[in-house]
């Protein structure tokens, strides 16, 4: 036996298995919403900047003037502007003529909005049932009337309703028992405001028709067919199928129409040759007269600020309705 055989082999300690490599700690990926939270504000920044520059200073100046005594003497620098607190608002709100103008403006705007929405809806529904070439012709006419400048449209309406040369009086006088030759439509406030209301409606209907026509294309034909199979007539299909789907669009159009019709100015101003009579005064023209005819800029500013607050109330109602619609959806 050799020495190599008798030698006890040395024990080799067992090797420990190497631990697995530690995984690199990774931060959870950022959510897409968190990463792009500032993107909408970045995109809106140019628009907000323009609005702040164009509307910010006039609005601040309007609020400042409404709390001051500011007339011709202050305008030309002969006297400094004096702070009078809420005296301008108290004087305006205590004036009976102002409340007559407010009521007249609300009635005028309500009539314009209701007739605009009804006529626009009827024309939009009619366009769904006519041939393609008729729809194209009607759309061309609507866009042409919509794109016509307000001054041009007002001048055309003045000629149509002129007491001496108006074509409307001549056409209506051909009807049996009607004699309107030489009739002055602006001799009374209600008739004159009705003419101005027709002018406003004529200019507002195209936008309503085009918008509602686009909305009607989104009404599923399957729902309408199912309603007819259940026995619903034309009115039932419109009330229970078409109207609920168009509700967001109708709310938007109604709110915009209220804002636009409450702010009507050039139609009344031009139709009455720059000097609206008291029975034709709306809030916009009344504020203008107080500021630039009577030269009481502080009261004119107060009236304008009250008008803005009324319109903000309309916007608040609109936002509430849109939020309710969003929650239901």
């Amino acid at each position: 036996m050799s020495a190599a055989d008798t030698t006890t082999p040395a024990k080799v300690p067992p090797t420990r298995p190497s631990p697995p490599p530690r995984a690199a700690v990774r931060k959870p990926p950022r959510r897409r919403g968190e990463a792009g939270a500032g993107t909408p504000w970045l995109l809106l920044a140019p628009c907000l900047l323009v609005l702040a520059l164009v509307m910010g200073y006039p609005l601040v100046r309007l609020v400042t003037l409404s709390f001051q005594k500011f007339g011709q003497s202050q305008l030309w620098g002969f006297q400094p502007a004096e702070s009078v607190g809420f005296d301008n608002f108290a004087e305006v709100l205590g004036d009976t003529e102002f409340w007559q103008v407010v009521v007249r403006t609300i009635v005028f705007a309500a009539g314009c909005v209701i007739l605009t929405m009804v006529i626009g809806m009827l024309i939009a529904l009619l366009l769904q049932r006519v041939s393609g070439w008729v729809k194209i012709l009607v759309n061309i006419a609507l866009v042409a009337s919509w794109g016509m400048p307000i001054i041009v449209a007002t001048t055309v309406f003045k000629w149509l309703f002129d007491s001496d040369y108006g074509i409307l009086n001549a056409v209506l006088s051909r009807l049996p028992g009607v004699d309107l030759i030489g009739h002055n439509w602006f001799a009374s406030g209600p008739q004159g405001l009705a003419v101005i209301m027709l002018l406003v409606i004529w200019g507002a209907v195209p936008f309503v028709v085009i918008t509602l026509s686009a909305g009607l294309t989104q009404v599923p034909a399957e729902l309408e067919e199912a309603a007819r199979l259940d026995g619903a007539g034309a009115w039932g299909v419109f009330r229970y199928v078409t109207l609920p789907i168009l509700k967001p669009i109708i709310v938007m159009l109604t709110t915009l129409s209220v804002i636009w019709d409450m702010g009507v100015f050039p139609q009344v101003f031009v139709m009455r040759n720059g000097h609206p009579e008291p029975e034709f005064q709306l809030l916009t023209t009344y504020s203008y007269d107080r500021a630039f005819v009577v030269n009481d800029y502080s009261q004119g500013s107060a009236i304008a600020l009250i008008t803005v607050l009324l319109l903000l109330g309309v916007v608040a109602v609109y936002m509430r309705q849109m939020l309710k619609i969003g929650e239901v959806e």
Side-chain angles (χ1 to χ4, degrees), residues 50-110:
V50 172
L51 288 177
L53 294 176
V54 175
M55 300 182 63
Y57 174 77
L59 186 59
V60 172
R61 186 60 176 161
L62 177 70
V63 175
T64 304
L65 286 176
S66 63
F67 290 96
Q68 293 179 343
K69 179 183 178 182
F70 199 94
Q72 271 193 328
S73 300
Q74 288 77 16
L75 178 66
W76 293 103
F78 298 134
Q79 294 180 2
E82 300 177 10
S83 178
V84 294
F86 291 92
D87 290 350
N88 292 323
F89 294 96
E91 188 173 352
V92 169
L93 296 176
D95 188 2
T96 306
E97 184 181 2
F98 169 75
W99 290 109
Q100 293 176 353
V101 173
V102 171
V103 173
R104 188 182 302 119
T105 304
I106 293 175
V107 173
F108 178 86

Side-chain angles (χ1 to χ4, degrees), residues 165-187:
Y165 307 103
I167 190 174
L168 185 66
N169 288 348
V171 171
L172 293 178
S173 297
R174 294 180 179 271
L175 299 176
V178 178
D179 184 13
L180 292 176
I181 298 298
H183 176 70
N184 186 3
W185 292 91
F186 296 96

Side-chain angles (χ1 to χ4, degrees), residues 163-234:
S163 59
D164 297 325
Y165 307 103
I167 190 174
L168 185 66
N169 288 348
V171 171
L172 293 178
S173 297
R174 294 180 179 271
L175 299 176
V178 178
D179 184 13
L180 292 176
I181 298 298
H183 176 70
N184 186 3
W185 292 91
F186 296 96
S188 66
Q191 287 188 10
L193 287 176
V195 173
I196 299 174
M197 187 181 297
L198 289 177
L199 171 61
V200 174
I201 294 170
W202 182 81
V205 162
F207 175 73
V208 174
V209 173
I210 294 172
T211 307
L212 290 177
S213 298
L216 287 172
T217 60
Q218 304 302 315
V219 179
E222 298 82 3
L223 294 180
E224 295 182 343
E225 185 64 25
R228 294 190 185 95
L229 292 176
D230 290 339

Side-chain angles (χ1 to χ4, degrees), residues 2-329:
S2 61
D5 295 334
T6 57
T7 305
T8 304
K11 293 182 180 181
V12 180
T15 58
R16 296 181 179 178
S18 58
R22 296 180 63 183
V25 179
R26 296 181 179 179
K27 296 182 179 180
R30 298 178 65 184
R31 296 180 180 178
R32 183 176 299 179
E34 296 176 356
T39 303
W41 293 104
L42 183 62
L43 297 175
L44 287 173
C47 179
L48 296 176
L49 180 61
V50 172
L51 288 177
L53 294 176
V54 175
M55 300 182 63
Y57 174 77
L59 186 59
V60 172
R61 186 60 176 161
L62 177 70
V63 175
T64 304
L65 286 176
S66 63
F67 290 96
Q68 293 179 343
K69 179 183 178 182
F70 199 94
Q72 271 193 328
S73 300
Q74 288 77 16
L75 178 66
W76 293 103
F78 298 134
Q79 294 180 2
E82 300 177 10
S83 178
V84 294
F86 291 92
D87 290 350
N88 292 323
F89 294 96
E91 188 173 352
V92 169
L93 296 176
D95 188 2
T96 306
E97 184 181 2
F98 169 75
W99 290 109
Q100 293 176 353
V101 173
V102 171
V103 173
R104 188 182 302 119
T105 304
I106 293 175
V107 173
F108 178 86
C112 290
V113 172
I114 293 173
L115 291 176
T116 299
M117 295 303 299
V118 172
I119 296 174
M121 179 64 75
L122 292 177
I123 297 176
L125 292 173
L126 180 63
L127 289 179
Q128 303 299 313
R129 292 167 172 79
V130 297
S131 58
W133 66 272
V134 175
K135 185 182 297 185
I136 292 175
L137 291 177
V138 173
N139 284 327
I140 292 175
L142 290 173
V143 173
S145 62
W146 189 20
M148 182 178 293
I150 296 177
I151 303 301
V152 176
T154 306
T155 305
V156 171
F157 267 72
K158 285 183 65 176
W159 173 74
L160 288 175
F161 290 90
D162 186 77
S163 59
D164 297 325
Y165 307 103
I167 190 174
L168 185 66
N169 288 348
V171 171
L172 293 178
S173 297
R174 294 180 179 271
L175 299 176
V178 178
D179 184 13
L180 292 176
I181 298 298
H183 176 70
N184 186 3
W185 292 91
F186 296 96
S188 66
Q191 287 188 10
L193 287 176
V195 173
I196 299 174
M197 187 181 297
L198 289 177
L199 171 61
V200 174
I201 294 170
W202 182 81
V205 162
F207 175 73
V208 174
V209 173
I210 294 172
T211 307
L212 290 177
S213 298
L216 287 172
T217 60
Q218 304 302 315
V219 179
E222 298 82 3
L223 294 180
E224 295 182 343
E225 185 64 25
R228 294 190 185 95
L229 292 176
D230 290 339
W235 171 249
V237 173
F238 175 77
R239 179 180 179 183
Y240 297 106
V241 177
T242 307
L243 199 59
I245 295 176
L246 293 180
K247 184 178 179 180
I249 299 177
I250 293 174
V251 171
M252 179 196 69
L253 289 176
T254 303
T255 307
L256 292 177
S257 297
V258 170
I259 294 173
W260 292 336
D261 296 340
M262 287 281 290
V264 166
F265 178 82
Q267 293 90 334
V268 180
F269 190 79
V270 176
M271 193 72 80
R272 302 313 303 142
N273 300 317
H275 302 284
E277 296 83 352
E279 59 268 21
F280 290 93
Q281 292 285 0
L282 302 179
L283 278 173
T284 51
T285 57
Y286 186 64
S287 173
Y288 177 87
D289 277 2
R290 282 290 180 180
F292 299 103
V293 177
V294 185
N295 294 321
D296 192 346
Y297 303 101
S298 54
Q299 275 202 11
S301 301
I303 296 170
L305 187 59
I306 293 173
T307 306
V308 172
L309 294 177
L310 290 175
L311 294 180
L312 287 178
V314 176
V315 173
V317 173
Y318 163 71
M319 295 301 297
R320 182 179 179 183
Q321 292 296 324
M322 294 304 296
L323 290 174
K324 286 184 178 179
I325 294 173
E327 291 176 359
V328 171
E329 293 179 353

